[in-house]
Amino acid sequence: MSRVPALLVMHADLAAALLRAAERVYGPIEGVEVLSNEGLSREALERRIAASVTAWPAGGLVLTDFWGGSCHICGASAARGHGELVIVTGINLPILLDYLHNRDDTATEALAERLQKKGQESIRIQRGQSA
């Protein structure tokens, strides 16, 4: 099985910052691209995403910050007709780390489902204890 590639597409510098944070925990990271929507029209962002995913003959993951935002919409639009390309939204550090740990031995669709579950499990509430 080959490595599932990923493109982080997020607002401002969130994608680059998230990747830097993941490197602090995981170590050096190769094969993950980042793209900011900053200063790009919808059409330009869609073209940039499409240019990245075209290089993935076996598909991959476009990881975006939130559902319905420009990054998600342009990612979904660019993904049409690109085979096994999956958009996963709501990416946080636990999800990105799980992707990195499992991208070499999990198929694209299964990995996307795994990441969705990881994201749901990573949100917790902890209340402070009263004295």
Side-chain angles (χ1 to χ4, degrees), residues 16-118:
L18 190 57
L19 192 61
R20 281 193 311 276
E23 285 178 325
R24 295 290 211 164
V25 177
Y26 184 83
I29 297 171
E30 295 179 3
V32 177
E33 298 177 62
V34 297
L35 177 60
S36 170
N37 72 338
E38 190 146 344
L40 298 176
S41 67
R42 178 182 170 161
E43 295 80 19
L45 181 59
E46 191 174 318
R47 281 193 306 272
R48 296 272 305 272
I49 296 168
S52 289
V53 302
T54 299
W56 303 344
L61 299 175
V62 176
L63 308 174
T64 69
D65 45 9
F66 68 94
W67 181 270
S70 61
C71 299
H72 166 251
I73 292 169
C74 291
S77 185
R80 287 190 194 100
H82 283 90
E84 195 178 339
L85 190 65
V86 181
I87 313 301
V88 180
T89 64
I91 300 305
N92 58 26
L93 187 56
I95 294 171
L96 182 55
L97 292 170
D98 198 76
Y99 159 77
L100 293 167
H101 286 289
N102 293 286
R103 65 184 174 163
D104 291 323
D105 57 9
T106 308
T108 303
E109 288 282 341
L111 184 55
E113 290 176 14
R114 178 187 176 91
L115 298 181
Q116 179 184 26
K117 184 176 179 187
K118 183 64 170 185

